[in-house]
Each structure stands twice: as structure tokens, then as C-alpha cells.
Amino acid sequence: MSSFPCSYLGAPISPGRVSYRDFEPLITKIRKKMDGWKGALLSAERKLILVRRVLSSMPIHLMMVIAVLEKVIHQPNVLLSNFLCGQGEFGPKKHWIAWKKIGRPTGEGGIGV
């Protein structure tokens, strides 16, 4: 028998309210995936495919099972936008389009992330 907080099928379970700290494994998992891909070596099209197919699907199960905090939704979006725009010498490059617009379906002018 395990103690709380614990994880069941990837979803954090605790006796009270689920905190941001309980979602750290998800954020870490997304970071590890991106670090392994060496984003600087990928073209923009390949980055987009990875974000659409792999990274954006990782938190879906969790969001269907638990009421996720807004802060938890925001953090993966920051990681995904930094991965798409690339890293500069001093950190993430300038984002020329707002993430809300990028996240729209392609029919509405976004890129479908």
C-alpha cells in the first residue's frame, strides 16, 4: 500500500486538492522528450510534426481524468512554444505570433497545435 500523494495510470491522486507539484512528473517527461530531440537540428516542419503528434498528446489523458490547474496547462504550452520557436544564444527566441493564435485549428488561421 502506498501513501498519498501517489499516481495511478499516470494521474496524481491525493486526499485533498491536487497541487501543481503533483504534475511535475508530466512537465519533466515533456522536457526529457524535447531534450532528446535536439531541437536545433530539426527543421520547423519536423518540430511542428513532433509537437502536434507527440508532445501535445501527452497531457490529454491527464486532462480528461483530473480537473487540471490553469498553471499546469500553461507550463507545457510554454515548453512547446519555446521548442517550436527555437533556442537562441541567451535563451528562447522571440515569438512572433501569440501561442493562442498558433493553437487554433488550421482552418481558423493557426497551425493546429
Side-chain angles (χ1 to χ4, degrees):
M1 182 156 184
S2 64
S3 62
F4 288 114
C6 64
S7 178
Y8 179 70
L9 297 176
I13 299 173
S14 66
R17 190 172 170 191
V18 181
S19 70
Y20 177 74
R21 188 179 28 194
D22 297 328
F23 294 98
E24 277 299 317
L26 172 68
I27 305 300
T28 304
K29 193 173 176 182
I30 291 172
R31 277 195 182 112
K32 283 183 181 180
K33 281 265 194 223
M34 291 187 316
D35 289 344
W37 287 333
K38 305 288 184 216
L41 303 175
L42 297 172
S43 67
E45 295 84 16
R46 291 180 185 198
K47 286 182 187 179
L48 181 59
I49 290 169
L50 288 172
V51 167
R52 278 184 184 165
R53 304 289 183 237
V54 179
L55 296 176
S56 62
S57 66
M58 290 173 75
I60 289 177
H61 164 72
L62 191 59
M63 289 191 289
M64 291 178 71
V65 175
I66 296 176
V68 180
L69 303 169
E70 184 70 32
K71 185 177 179 182
V72 174
I73 294 171
H74 178 71
Q75 184 62 33
N77 285 340
V78 168
L79 293 173
L80 296 179
S81 67
N82 289 342
F83 181 72
L84 273 178
C85 294
Q87 288 285 101
E89 189 175 332
F90 302 107
K93 290 184 179 177
K94 178 96 171 132
H95 301 176
W96 295 103
I97 301 173
W99 184 252
K100 288 181 181 181
K101 292 181 181 178
I102 289 175
R104 291 181 186 162
T106 53
E108 295 178 15
I111 58 173
V113 175

